[in-house]
Amino acid sequence: MVGSAKVLIGLLLVRSGHPGADAIAALLVAGLVLFAAGRMMRRNVQVLMDRVPVSGAQETAREAIESVGAAVSLRRLRMREAGGRHFADVVVAVPSQTDLEAAHSVASAIEQAVEQALPGSDVVVHVEPDGRVQHAAILGVGQMPLTTVKSPHTVAQTADRLAAALEHRGIELFARIDHGAGARQAGMDLRDEELLVFGDPRAGTPLMQEDPAIGYELPLRVLIWDAQGQTMVAHRPMASLAGEYEVGEQAAILERMNGLLDQLVAEAVAAD
């Protein structure tokens, strides 16, 4: 309507003796057309690129999912907005022993919760079994798997050598726990045994950002003990944790941790 008005004004001005008004009106109309085209292109590009809603809809949907209250772990929430509607793609994990009917009920409850929080939204829920290994089950079946090597040095000497290797690499030693000394202070008998706890938040934090439960395994630990006169050194193989926790693309960090532990232990048990 604004464009039509400008055309009419231009014609009236030309008729009244201003011949240049027609060109000016044409330029103004062209500007309006370009402006409208730009707005239309911007909207269409956002739709084609599956623009994430900026109105707080994603956080609203997340809160709705968490309000369901079932034993559900939110794995992924992807949202886009098109034509004034919100589209949500939700992936949740339920305990592996959950039967099909119960899993379907969970999915339905999540769909209803999101649709109530965001009226008119289109919600698709995918339910997966939680495949993470439960630590209690591991401990109940048998001993926790450890990588174990022999050391030609005493427990204290091996611990000192490991601490020196950490200091050389600039890795912080958070604690050095002398189990043997603690037992003797309590009036009990225990062969020499020490636990060294160390690490770097720059390595562990990305893992915990993916799966907070892996914090149970961190920081890194090396156990050194006297097995009837033979010093033994052991640590948990970190690479194996990739199958127990949902660390995603950060699994490579576990591989690097595993290599670091092997190097540290090798230095600690090396013969002089």
Side-chain angles (χ1 to χ4, degrees), residues 40-68:
M40 184 176 298
M41 288 179 62
R42 182 169 178 271
R43 291 175 182 174
N44 289 334
V45 167
Q46 290 174 347
V47 172
L48 292 173
M49 297 298 291
D50 285 344
R51 178 175 67 93
V52 176
V54 296
S55 59
Q58 186 151 357
E59 186 60 31
T60 300
R62 186 181 297 276
E63 292 175 356
I65 295 169
E66 294 175 349
S67 70
V68 171

Side-chain angles (χ1 to χ4, degrees), residues 127-175:
V127 180
E128 298 178 348
D130 192 342
R132 290 181 293 184
V133 178
Q134 301 298 322
H135 297 288
I138 295 175
L139 297 175
V141 171
Q143 294 181 337
M144 181 180 294
L146 296 175
T147 298
T148 306
V149 299
K150 296 179 180 180
S151 172
H153 315 290
T154 66
V155 170
Q157 290 171 343
T158 304
D160 288 342
R161 293 169 66 93
L162 179 59
L166 291 170
E167 184 178 3
H168 177 72
R169 288 173 171 78
I171 300 174
E172 184 175 359
L173 176 61
F174 298 120

Side-chain angles (χ1 to χ4, degrees), residues 85-184:
R85 295 184 64 192
H86 294 104
F87 295 83
D89 181 19
V90 184
V91 178
V92 296
V94 297
S96 56
Q97 67 271 22
T98 304
D99 58 37
L100 182 60
E101 184 176 353
H104 179 72
S105 298
V106 169
S108 298
I110 292 174
E111 288 179 3
Q112 293 176 6
V114 176
E115 289 171 358
Q116 288 178 1
L118 299 171
S121 58
D122 189 320
V123 185
V124 177
V125 180
H126 308 271
V127 180
E128 298 178 348
D130 192 342
R132 290 181 293 184
V133 178
Q134 301 298 322
H135 297 288
I138 295 175
L139 297 175
V141 171
Q143 294 181 337
M144 181 180 294
L146 296 175
T147 298
T148 306
V149 299
K150 296 179 180 180
S151 172
H153 315 290
T154 66
V155 170
Q157 290 171 343
T158 304
D160 288 342
R161 293 169 66 93
L162 179 59
L166 291 170
E167 184 178 3
H168 177 72
R169 288 173 171 78
I171 300 174
E172 184 175 359
L173 176 61
F174 298 120
R176 179 171 173 175
I177 303 170
D178 191 335
H179 290 308
R184 287 187 288 273

Side-chain angles (χ1 to χ4, degrees), residues 69-94:
V72 174
S73 173
L74 178 60
R75 292 279 181 83
R76 187 180 71 226
L77 172 60
R78 291 178 178 171
M79 296 195 66
R80 61 185 180 90
E81 185 177 356
R85 295 184 64 192
H86 294 104
F87 295 83
D89 181 19
V90 184
V91 178
V92 296
V94 297

